[in-house]
């Protein structure tokens, strides 16, 4: 039997609802923008919510409320006792977990988000380098709404620069995958500034390691999701010395990725052994020393030097993933797709991943060098 359709038109604010639900007047609601969770003693959690004020005449654009309970739902009930308006989560853009809590496991809290009909699965998840409340309760001089500021920060960096997509949907997909682990941004506050410190790498639902921002760039390349972005590296100057007007021990290079691709192939299922083939096409943006591009083989030598350095950094990054049994790349998914009836589970895969042999090949080519000659 089909349910009737109800449409509510409120005089003060127009709000559309599908289904017969109780209408809410926007001005009577406390709209959560960002929620932070921290670990307390006796398995309790501290929930810090930043709320958007609807009143345009209000001097402060946001309000912060904190509460303690054993569950996120219990925290919402406690928070409502401190508010004059009913707290709803339909406008939540970011959910942050304190590092201590993330190291214990967060799937119960994340699962609760996925079952909340007022929240979408495209909200961003992140980890705070300290307590989430340390970031959310601070009064910033130049940030009027910390919730929207962090949302825009995470959005533009995941779309353009060094972050893999950090949505609730992505986290749950990787968590429930038998051959892949989640990864989310790691944020830190220093004074009146909040910045992306790196990536929080997970083993199942527990944060086990921290990756640098430049490793976030490499991860996007390995995931074959890197389209554009700027990368800086320091290459060995020895193979480039004859093309340099003022030879030095090392060369600082900045390039912009124009195109990249990555393929992972299973070579041996018993070890297991993989080969990762990375291809990057980039535009040279800056080089720290005058370089003679007109000389024969000079461009080829520079491409090889950049490729060699990228290969070394990718190998170091993958080794750190293996040491912490955090398969953020998804080698396990490649293994599972190639081996019939593998009956792969995370418990089975993690120790296999730790001992896997992973070979890396990098092919780097330059499109343009004229801008910096």
């Amino acid at each position: 039997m089909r349910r009737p359709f109800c449409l509510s038109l409120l005089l003060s604010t127009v709000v559309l609802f599908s289904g017969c639900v109780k209408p809410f007047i926007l001005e009577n609601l406390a709209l959560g923008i960002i929620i932070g969770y921290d670990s307390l003693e006796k398995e309790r959690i501290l929930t810090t919510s930043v709320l958007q004020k609807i009143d345009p005449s209000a001097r402060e654009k946001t309000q912060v409320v904190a509460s303690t309970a054993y569950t996120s739902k219990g925290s919402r009930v406690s928070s409502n006792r401190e508010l004059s308006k009913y707290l709803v989560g339909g406008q939540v853009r970011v959910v942050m977990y304190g590092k201590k809590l993330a190291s214990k496991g967060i799937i119960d809290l994340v699962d609760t988000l996925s079952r909340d009909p007022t929240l979408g699965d495209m909200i961003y998840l992140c980890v705070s380098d300290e307590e989430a409340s340390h970031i959310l309760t601070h009064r910033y001089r130049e940030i009027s709404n910390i919730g929207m500021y962090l949302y825009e920060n995470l959005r533009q960096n995941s779309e353009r620069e060094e972050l893999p997509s950090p949505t609730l949907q992505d986290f749950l997909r990787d968590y429930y995958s038998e051959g892949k682990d989640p990864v989310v941004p790691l944020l830190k506050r220093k004074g009146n500034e909040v910045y992306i410190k790196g990536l929080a790498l997970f083993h199942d639902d527990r944060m086990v390691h921290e990756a640098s921002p430049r490793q976030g760039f490499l991860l996007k390349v390995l995931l074959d999701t890197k389209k554009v972005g700027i990368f800086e590296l320091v290459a060995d100057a020895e193979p480039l010395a004859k093309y340099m007007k003022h030879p030095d021990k090392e060369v600082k290079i900045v390039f912009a990725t124009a195109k990249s691709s990555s393929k992972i192939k299973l070579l041996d299922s018993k070890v297991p052994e993989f080969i990762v083939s990375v291809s990057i096409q980039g535009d040279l943006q800056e080089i720290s020393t005058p370089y003679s591009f007109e000389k024969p083989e000079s461009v080829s030598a520079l491409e090889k030097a950049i490729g060699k350095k990228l290969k070394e950094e990718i190998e170091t990054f993958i080794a750190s993933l293996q040491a912490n049994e955090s398969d953020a790349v998804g080698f396990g998914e490649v293994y599972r797709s190639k081996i019939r009836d593998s009956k792969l589970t995370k418990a089975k895969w993690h120790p296999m991943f730790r001992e896997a042999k992973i070979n890396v090949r990098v092919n780097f080519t330059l499109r343009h060098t004229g801008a910096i000659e």
Side-chain angles (χ1 to χ4, degrees):
M1 181 176 178
R2 299 185 64 182
R3 298 178 62 186
F5 175 84
C6 294
L7 176 66
S8 296
L9 177 61
L10 307 178
L11 295 178
S12 56
T13 304
V14 177
V15 184
L16 301 180
F17 296 92
S18 61
C20 288
V21 296
K22 180 180 178 180
F24 290 106
I25 299 175
L26 189 60
E27 285 79 357
N28 293 339
L29 301 178
L31 303 178
I33 302 297
I34 182 171
I35 302 173
Y37 296 106
D38 290 305
S39 176
L40 297 175
E41 295 180 353
K42 298 181 180 180
E43 298 184 352
R44 293 174 70 84
I45 58 173
L46 169 66
T47 301
T48 306
S49 301
V50 178
L51 314 178
Q52 175 72 57
K53 288 188 176 181
I54 304 301
D55 185 2
S57 63
R59 181 174 299 178
E60 297 289 340
K61 301 302 181 183
T62 61
Q63 177 183 358
V64 179
V65 59
S67 60
T68 61
Y70 291 103
T71 64
S72 58
K73 293 294 186 183
S75 291
R76 180 178 294 187
V77 172
S78 297
S79 295
N80 264 311
R81 298 192 189 108
E82 304 177 33
L83 296 168
S84 60
K85 299 180 180 181
Y86 182 66
L87 176 61
V88 294
Q91 292 299 312
V92 170
R93 307 294 180 90
V94 180
V95 176
M96 180 182 295
Y97 302 94
K99 190 173 184 179
K100 182 179 178 182
L101 177 62
S103 67
K104 294 179 179 180
I106 59 174
I107 190 57
D108 289 343
L109 291 168
V110 175
D111 249 348
T112 298
L113 296 176
S114 68
R115 294 193 299 270
D116 190 332
T118 67
L119 300 176
D121 59 4
M122 298 306 289
I123 60 176
Y124 289 152
L125 305 186
C126 61
V127 171
S128 168
D129 189 50
E130 298 180 41
E131 291 81 12
S133 60
H134 183 66
I135 290 180
L136 301 185
T137 59
H138 185 74
R139 297 184 62 148
Y140 299 89
R141 295 176 183 173
E142 299 181 1
I143 303 175
S144 61
N145 187 329
I146 186 62
M148 291 304 301
Y149 174 84
L150 291 181
Y151 169 74
E152 293 296 340
N153 187 326
L154 295 172
R155 183 188 61 79
Q156 67 97 358
N157 274 284
S158 64
E159 290 179 356
R160 304 178 186 178
E161 297 293 336
E162 56 207 18
L163 296 180
S165 179
T167 66
L168 170 62
Q169 181 184 63
D170 294 314
F171 186 97
L172 290 173
R173 180 201 62 215
D174 293 344
Y175 172 77
Y176 287 111
S177 166
E178 301 299 348
K180 198 169 185 291
D181 289 295
V183 55
V184 301
L186 180 66
L187 305 183
K188 184 176 180 62
R189 178 176 77 81
K190 185 176 182 180
N192 285 307
E193 296 182 355
V194 180
Y195 62 94
I196 299 171
K197 183 185 179 186
L199 297 177
L201 302 175
F202 284 76
H203 173 111
D204 294 335
D205 71 326
R206 295 181 295 104
M207 179 184 169
V208 293
H209 188 56
E210 174 185 335
S212 68
R214 65 188 296 107
Q215 288 176 331
F217 175 98
L218 300 176
L219 178 57
K220 290 197 74 169
V221 169
L222 292 170
L223 293 172
D224 201 18
T225 58
K226 188 67 181 173
K227 304 305 178 186
V228 295
I230 304 294
F231 194 70
E232 178 186 65
L233 54 79
V234 180
D236 182 10
E238 184 177 351
L240 305 175
K242 60 182 177 180
Y243 308 113
M244 296 162 55
K245 295 179 181 178
H246 307 293
D248 203 344
K249 292 182 179 180
E250 54 186 27
V251 183
K252 289 84 171 179
I253 301 168
V254 180
F255 67 87
T257 54
K259 184 180 180 181
S260 70
S261 63
S262 176
K263 294 182 180 180
I264 301 174
K265 184 178 180 180
L266 179 65
L267 299 179
D268 186 345
S269 62
K270 294 181 180 179
V271 177
E273 182 178 1
F274 300 87
I275 183 166
V276 182
S277 299
V278 175
S279 178
I280 299 177
Q281 191 177 72
D283 298 331
L284 194 61
Q285 301 288 301
E286 185 176 342
I287 188 167
S288 62
T289 183
Y291 194 78
S292 300
F293 289 98
E294 69 279 0
K295 290 185 178 181
E297 305 297 327
S298 62
V299 173
S300 176
L302 188 58
E303 290 173 337
K304 289 179 180 178
I306 295 174
K308 180 182 177 181
K309 185 62 178 179
L310 286 171
K311 179 178 182 293
E312 292 172 356
E313 292 205 32
I314 290 173
E315 289 174 336
T316 299
F317 175 52
I318 292 176
S320 70
L321 294 178
Q322 290 182 271
N324 292 279
E325 296 186 5
S326 176
D327 188 359
V329 178
F331 288 96
E333 284 301 292
V334 175
Y335 179 90
R336 187 177 63 85
S337 67
K338 297 298 181 181
I339 305 301
R340 291 185 178 181
D341 301 320
S342 64
K343 297 180 181 179
L344 193 67
T345 63
K346 269 188 162 64
K348 180 181 177 181
W349 173 244
H350 282 137
M352 290 175 64
F353 174 59
R354 187 183 185 95
E355 302 301 325
K357 183 178 180 180
I358 301 174
N359 310 288
V360 178
R361 293 178 181 173
V362 176
N363 178 45
F364 182 86
T365 57
L366 286 170
R367 289 196 319 172
H368 302 297
T369 60
I372 51 85
E373 288 182 19

